[in-house]
Amino acid sequence: MYGHTAGLGASHLKRLERLYRRRVPTESIISTDLARAVAHLSFEMNRQVGLLIMRSGDIDAVLVGDHRSILIPELSSSRGSRGRLRGLRCVHTHLRAEPLSQDDLMDLVFLRFDLMAALEVDEQGGPRRLHAAHILPEHVDGMGWMLLEPLPPADGSLNFLHLVQSLESEFARQRSVLEVKDGQDRAILVSVANASRADVEASMDELAALADSSGIAVADRIIQRGRSVNPRFLLGRGKLSELVLRALQRGVDLLIFDQDLNPSQVRSLTEFMELRVIDRTQLILDIFAQRAKSREGKIQVEMAQLKYMLPRLAVKDDALSRLTGGIGARGPGETKLEVDRRRIRDRIARLEEQLRGVKKQRGQRRELRLRAGLPIVSIVGYTNAGKSTLLNSLTRSQVEAGDYLFATLDPASRKLRFASGREAVITDTVGFIRDLPGDLVEAFSATLEELRHADLLVHLVDISNPRYEEQMEAVEKILESLDLGLMPKLLVFNKVDLVEDGRSLQNLCRRQGAIPVSALDRESLPPLLAALESRLSHRFAPSPA
Ligand SMILES: Nc1nc2c(ncn2[C@@H]2O[C@H](COP(=O)(O)OP(=O)(O)OP(=O)(O)O)[C@@H](O)[C@H]2O)c(=O)[nH]1
Ligand SMILES: [Mg+2]
């Protein structure tokens, strides 16, 4: 029994206790005699009484409130109800002639009850009417729940079992609209931002592309504009209830926030939503982990992940262990936490050691190249700009390229031969992205170190992307943070085949001093080749002619 039982007499307590032994026929919300018993007890005590009833008809919990309200205890999620209706309904008394309150409806949503019902108690202490509501498998007129017409307490016209079964099958039907492969995660993208609607949408588009690159199916998006009103959950109560409804309707198992979450927000949201919760940084780390193939790439990614995780271990937090499936069992004690932290630090130290070895090897290879005397060109740019495609076209090679973000993690070098017979080395590298996590930039310093030894950086821009200006800025910013801001650079606009207005493109190129290409089309490359050769001329030995 839960709630406000202080000050109740022994006989009331005994009668409350006895409610546990009652059963409700599965096809009724509540039976007539149980409704009568609860109403009378509630009337005599002048307190609300509530029942949590399982689909089997057994009573799961008896709750006692004060005369205006009732509190529902924390419910365990152990019934495997994650992402589904809970399999419990709540029927509680209202001592005044009031329909379901706003709080009742929030409880319906937040606790994912099968049904929420208020039993009106009349002046004689008898049951009068039942006000009930249930969650809808799809919003109707912007509403995520449905209020039923008030019913006599044990109305025969409503078959509760049929109602729940048809709700469940409609939920299943709605969910099957989004096709997912076996084991593929379904996610809702969430953004809480103060920026303009266009900026928020663009950022969400990029987040969707990241999710897609990570193999996650995106089921929906929720945006709360304006400043966060609730630091604990980031979202306000209204948005939070919308999120619960949508998560239920779409059957998702993952929430991805476009903003960085602090460890306690991850924890609160994970517990409250009973779903996994990650932020953009973690999603990027996840993609990197999937893509890393070389030893160097793998070391760098693992290091970034551990560095991301370390400060998050400070909170006694099981959300992390649920996400990573390893470090720290549920709610590690202080000692366990210390052990985990030490283990991670040791591991980071070992990775750093290995990375030093890799850097040395790289240095030796570079040495060889430098001794060969070939000038080096490095292609940099926003992820998906077409860097690998350009490298392939320029050198007729087969570096992996693809229409997803961060296709390339491991840099590739190829020899580039100009028509004159002169040669250069051209390298492709990991793509950049706005707000690239600092730990990642740092972890990839070995890879990015290569850029320092280039004679020329080609900054490749996907000019067909409406946000190309921001992408250029993001790249410049990262180059500056790597102390590469002052390197000699050549600006190249790619994917011109996708740009319709040729004239304004020409103007744009002239204004920015950029060279237009279409990396997919070798015919478009001669101007770029000429520019490269000329920019590198000081590095070539005097022509033999
Ligand atoms: N239409 C068009 N598509 C292009 C062009 N260049 C590249 N693409 C496509 O753009 C997508 C990304 O190309 P990638 O070469 O993988 O891009 P990247 O810059 O190496 O990307 P990351 O390695 O992920 O940073 C691929 O689907 C390419 O086929 C182009 O000139 N025109
Ligand atoms: Mg690439």
Side-chain angles (χ1 to χ4, degrees), residues 344-411:
I344 292 185
R345 283 204 204 93
D346 289 351
R347 180 81 189 138
I348 291 178
R350 223 164 330 135
L351 290 171
E352 272 166 352
E353 179 72 25
Q354 290 177 12
L355 214 49
R356 269 194 289 279
V358 172
K359 273 188 185 167
K360 211 161 122 202
Q361 282 172 14
R362 256 186 184 284
Q364 287 161 354
R365 276 202 309 257
R366 192 156 55 224
E367 195 66 18
L368 281 176
R369 268 205 318 258
L370 290 177
R371 228 175 293 152
L374 294 181
I376 299 171
V377 178
S378 285
I379 310 175
V380 296
Y382 210 78
T383 179
N384 210 42
K387 301 177 292 297
S388 303
T389 310
L390 181 64
L391 179 87
N392 285 339
S393 293
L394 284 171
T395 65
R396 299 176 192 270
S397 45
Q398 300 293 331
V399 170
E400 185 183 342
D403 197 12
Y404 34 85
L405 306 189
F406 301 115
T408 309
L409 268 208
D410 300 316

Side-chain angles (χ1 to χ4, degrees), residues 27 86 101 116 132 141 145 212 218 267 296 321 323 359 417 420 427 446 498 515:
E27 63 276 4
R86 193 170 291 272
S101 67
M116 171 60 92
D141 299 331
W145 58 77
D212 188 51
V218 175
R267 178 198 167 93
E296 177 180 347
S321 60
L323 293 175
K359 273 188 185 167
R417 196 185 305 266
S420 62
T427 69
L498 300 177
I515 297 174

Side-chain angles (χ1 to χ4, degrees), residues 429-445:
T429 190
V430 51
F432 295 167
I433 194 165
R434 183 178 55 83
D435 304 326
L436 192 66
D439 287 337
L440 255 187
V441 178
E442 202 192 310
F444 271 75
S445 63

Side-chain angles (χ1 to χ4, degrees), residues 27-47:
E27 63 276 4
S28 312
I29 298 175
I30 189 167
S31 60
T32 321
D33 56 335
L34 187 54
R36 202 172 292 137
V38 172
H40 275 131
L41 199 49
S42 182
F43 182 77
E44 283 176 26
M45 300 190 305
N46 195 26
R47 297 177 196 200

Side-chain angles (χ1 to χ4, degrees), residues 204-218:
M204 287 292 256
D205 286 343
E206 185 172 87
L207 190 67
L210 284 167
D212 188 51
S213 297
S214 174
I216 296 165
V218 175

Side-chain angles (χ1 to χ4, degrees), residues 68-70 72 92 94 98-111 116 118 133 143-145 147 237-239 241-242 245:
R68 289 295 320 262
S69 64
I70 199 159
I72 296 169
H92 67 291
H94 274 186
E98 282 170 336
L100 288 169
S101 67
Q102 201 56 30
D103 282 341
D104 290 334
L105 292 170
M106 287 294 123
D107 282 338
L108 166 70
V109 171
F110 287 145
L111 298 168
M116 171 60 92
M143 296 283 282
W145 58 77
L147 291 166
R237 211 163 117 93
K239 274 290 168 193
S241 72
E242 193 181 332
L245 285 170

